[in-house]
Amino acid sequence: MARVWIFGADINTDQIVPGRYAPYMLKNEDDLRKYPFIEHRPEFAANVRRGDIIVAGNNFGCGSSREYAPLALRMVGIGAIIAPLFARIFFRNALNLGIPCFTADLTRELRDGQEVELDLEQGRIHTDDGRTIQLPPPPAFLREVWAAGGIVPFYRMYGRFPGEG
Amino acid sequence: MAQTLSEQILSRAAGRPVSAGEVVTVNVDLVMMHDSLSPSIIRVLHEELGAERVWDPQRVAVVIDHVAPAASVQTAEKQAEVRRWVRAQGIAHLFDVGRGISHPVLVEEGLARPGMVIVGSDSHSTAYGCVGAFGTGMGTTDIALAAATGRTWFRVPETVLVRARGRFRPGVSAKDLALKAARLLRADGATYAAVEWHGVEFLSVMERMTLATLSIEVGAKAGIVPPTGLLQTIPEWLRVEEGARYSRVVEIDLDDLEPQVSAPHTVDNVTDLRDLGRVAVDVVYLGTCTNGHYEDMAAAARILRGRRLAPGVRMLVVPASAQALQMAAEDGTLATLLAAGATIGTPGCGACIGRHMGVLAPGEVCLFTGNRNFRGRMGSPEARIYLASPEVAAATALTGYITHPQEVVEARYAEP
């Protein structure tokens, strides 16, 4: 089972990982795993489990281009991020790192801390109270990148960029 | 069919006519990376992508601006690594500590030019729209891929048109227009789209950069000012076309525009300064790729001339580039700022990312000419950041609370 972490709207990359905690600023870059939401939600990094899901409000990941924001989320094993709208640089970074992102507003359908099961293949969430939520499928050209595990394996496998014939 | 500027630029870069909504692979003209992300870009390029060299060392620019000069042994070491890598790769363009922020520097150096596709490891790479380029920010992996291959992919964006009419009143400037646009469009108003800024051909290139950098704060992929009235050669295929399709049009009347202030903690939390109430500040910070240009220092100096900062207020000026600093030194702008009690930092990003050179303490309030007032952006999450123009910054430095420029200008004339 995965746990749901609910976040509000306009979560920016400074809230995900403040610039002061960038790998550039750290003696040990692996320490990045300790810093997702270090100030915005200090209990997150210690309590998040592999496979947990972030369910957020509108415009998730706005702000800077720092890939270490989604990288920190990948390091703690975030299984998917669901939000009605993603800021574009964050979305590309998450895609490139192979973190599945779904465009849907589930902040009212799910509660913080709720146990759910995420079926990535079918794009479905099964909740602990017996509901099944169908997630809108991402466009096919993006699904191939996720299927490859990110843009680097995708490019190495196909020698081309997504969307190109 | 008539095209937007983004469609024109991406059509040329894709080698075929493209329009909004298509997913295309394009050639990039320039790849910019800065000290903060270069170490990770270099690692992805060599270790993950298995590339030995960048695709074209003439078309990669590396800028040490994010922590410049180095603030710790780690950052110093990583910068040394980046310099070694630049030499080993034969990269033609390294702009080291003190040259300034990537965006104005690449424009000053003539590397960013009209009609180009420029990708940078910095979200404010929309800046290159100030010369009519399609500039966009990307993360580590996308920049590594672009540097290795000279190519990237885009969904061709729809375009949101911001059309300005009239002229600014005294004390009002490009920042107020940009904040007004953020107020109308909101933080997600141009997500996945480009913004075109029309009716601003009277602005200088760096004033246009104020508009272009703030385009990312409404979510935009690019923020382009039509390249009219520039010294650069404009490709003949690049011009605003009658009948180009815009997904949304926002009109802003400059004749009526009041100084705007973005209050904590989101950029689109904008009000007219007159409606803000009395906000006392500890620090006035003039700098960044948005408003640390020569024009911005000169505008502040015009208000500060012959006067002193309010007691208890600190004013930090961090020029956006060495060239801006040089110009300010040559015409007396710098002397005016120093005489007023301001201090000067090394050209670069300064405290905009909260890493050095003016990090804020809990409870402090900063009037900032930059582009983000997110909680914790400049240091303590308990600090409060207000965004405004250089004119408002100078007026605020004189009174100690967020002040309409007209108020201190009128006070000057009222003095005996």
Side-chain angles (χ1 to χ4, degrees):
Chain A
M1 295 291 261
R3 209 165 22 170
V4 169
W5 295 80
I6 301 271
F7 287 87
D10 296 317
I11 293 292
N12 62 62
T13 54
D14 280 85
Q15 288 170 305
I16 303 172
V17 180
R20 286 164 285 124
Y21 297 88
Y24 185 37
M25 308 300 283
L26 304 177
K27 277 205 172 73
N28 178 1
E29 296 193 5
D30 284 341
D31 284 348
L32 181 61
R33 70 179 64 247
K34 296 190 239 167
Y35 301 131
F37 300 112
I38 174 88
E39 287 166 355
H40 181 69
R41 203 163 170 183
E43 78 284 9
F44 178 85
N47 293 296
V48 69
R49 296 183 305 224
R50 297 203 85 74
D52 281 2
I53 298 168
I54 289 175
V55 173
N58 198 44
N59 202 24
F60 187 80
C62 59
S64 105
S65 64
R66 58 188 70 160
E67 192 169 287
Y68 56 83
L71 180 62
L73 299 177
R74 190 176 77 171
M75 285 169 101
V76 298
I78 282 298
I81 308 174
I82 303 167
L85 178 77
F86 290 87
R88 66 162 279 275
I89 306 178
F90 182 92
F91 187 86
R92 272 183 88 119
N93 285 340
L95 174 80
N96 289 348
L97 294 173
I99 304 171
C101 293
F102 293 94
T103 304
D105 187 356
L106 299 185
T107 52
R108 279 176 293 274
E109 307 250 350
L110 299 169
R111 343 174 277 284
D112 194 59
Q114 187 166 8
E115 298 280 345
V116 299
E117 200 180 312
L118 173 67
D119 178 348
L120 271 180
E121 290 278 299
Q122 300 294 319
R124 284 186 192 138
I125 289 179
H126 304 287
T127 65
D128 56 358
D129 49 12
R131 287 177 299 147
T132 295
I133 300 169
Q134 182 70 49
L135 297 165
F141 76 99
L142 298 181
R143 286 206 304 271
E144 2 177 80
V145 180
W146 274 300
I151 193 75
V152 170
F154 178 90
Y155 189 83
R156 296 198 75 154
M157 208 179 300
Y158 301 109
R160 64 172 176 90
F161 289 90
E164 206 179 326
Chain B
M1 201 175 71
Q3 289 184 310
T4 63
L5 296 176
S6 295
E7 287 170 330
Q8 292 167 36
I9 296 170
L10 294 177
S11 292
R12 177 192 148 271
R16 65 183 172 88
V18 301
S19 53
E22 282 182 65
V23 176
V24 298
T25 297
V26 298
N27 295 318
V28 301
D29 297 294
L30 186 64
V31 176
M32 185 284 287
M33 57 181 86
H34 55 64
D35 53 315
S36 186
L37 295 182
S38 288
S40 60
I41 293 165
I42 294 166
R43 188 168 56 237
V44 171
L45 185 107
H46 295 304
E47 293 172 22
E48 293 185 26
L49 281 166
E52 283 179 15
R53 323 229 22 115
V54 298
W55 110 99
D56 183 349
Q58 297 296 322
R59 292 204 252 178
V60 176
V62 180
V63 189
I64 312 281
D65 61 3
H66 270 54
V67 182
S72 63
V73 174
Q74 290 96 269
T75 49
E77 255 186 318
K78 286 171 186 168
Q79 290 178 14
E81 256 174 59
V82 171
R83 290 185 193 102
R84 280 195 295 274
W85 179 78
V86 164
R87 276 195 298 274
Q89 291 283 318
I91 287 170
H93 312 290
L94 170 68
F95 301 105
D96 214 321
V97 172
R99 180 62 187 87
I101 306 170
S102 57
H103 312 311
V105 170
L106 297 196
V107 170
E108 288 164 358
E109 296 284 338
L111 292 170
R113 295 192 297 273
M116 282 184 159
V117 174
I118 304 173
V119 297
S121 68
D122 184 273
S123 59
H124 291 106
S125 299
T126 52
Y128 308 115
C130 74
V131 289
F134 184 94
T136 198
M138 294 178 151
T140 295
T141 305
D142 270 323
I143 292 297
L145 253 173
T149 65
R151 302 197 309 157
T152 191
W153 69 276
F154 291 114
R155 182 184 164 280
V156 181
E158 285 80 24
T159 292
V160 173
L161 174 60
V162 178
R163 188 187 285 130
R165 294 187 194 284
R167 288 293 183 272
F168 295 122
R169 294 194 294 191
V172 180
S173 62
K175 181 60 154 293
D176 301 300
L177 167 57
L179 290 180
K180 179 74 178 189
R183 180 179 181 172
L184 296 171
L185 286 166
R186 307 311 303 257
D188 62 349
T191 300
Y192 308 123
V195 176
E196 278 185 33
W197 299 86
H198 290 192
V200 294
E201 55 288 323
F202 61 93
L203 296 179
S204 72
V205 171
M206 293 305 168
E207 290 170 318
R208 296 178 190 196
M209 189 177 287
T210 304
L211 306 177
T213 52
L214 276 163
S215 302
I216 174 68
E217 307 309 332
V218 290
K221 190 177 292 192
I224 307 181
V225 180
T228 50
L230 300 181
L231 296 176
Q232 285 95 334
T233 313
I234 319 296
E236 49 85 27
W237 50 264
L238 182 64
R239 59 199 61 248
V240 171
E241 290 183 353
E242 194 75 33
R245 273 190 299 192
Y246 302 105
S247 57
R248 184 170 170 191
V249 180
V250 171
E251 311 258 0
I252 298 176
D253 195 342
L254 303 184
D255 296 319
D256 295 338
L257 187 62
E258 281 282 313
Q260 304 290 297
V261 177
S262 167
H265 294 284
T266 56
V267 179
D268 60 356
N269 186 19
V270 177
T271 54
D272 284 2
L273 188 152
R274 289 188 194 284
D275 299 331
L276 189 65
R278 191 181 170 95
V279 180
V281 308
D282 302 287
V283 184
V284 172
Y285 187 113
L286 191 152
T288 79
C289 54
T290 293
N291 276 123
H293 306 298
Y294 165 76
E295 289 88 333
D296 304 316
M297 290 186 280
R302 281 195 288 278
I303 291 168
L304 293 169
R305 185 171 301 122
R307 310 171 86 168
R308 292 283 299 173
L309 306 187
V313 173
R314 319 190 291 277
M315 183 169 181
L316 308 178
V317 176
V318 180
S321 76
Q323 187 172 308
L325 175 58
Q326 184 73 35
M327 286 166 74
E330 281 169 8
D331 77 351
T333 293
L334 188 55
T336 301
L337 297 173
L338 293 172
T343 192
I344 308 292
T346 307
C349 302
C352 182
I353 331 124
R355 290 172 177 170
H356 70 160
M357 293 214 295
V359 172
L360 301 176
E364 284 191 325
V365 177
C366 178
L367 189 288
F368 183 36
T369 66
N371 41 53
R372 287 192 180 130
N373 56 354
F374 299 156
R375 189 189 288 278
R377 173 77 180 174
M378 297 178 75
S380 169
E382 264 58 72
R384 295 171 67 78
I385 304 165
Y386 290 80
L387 305 178
S389 70
E391 291 84 351
V392 170
T396 299
L398 289 175
T399 61
Y401 59 92
I402 297 178
T403 299
H404 195 301
Q406 213 57 36
E407 204 176 298
V408 296
V409 170
E410 280 161 15
R412 184 201 294 275
Y413 292 126
E415 278 163 14

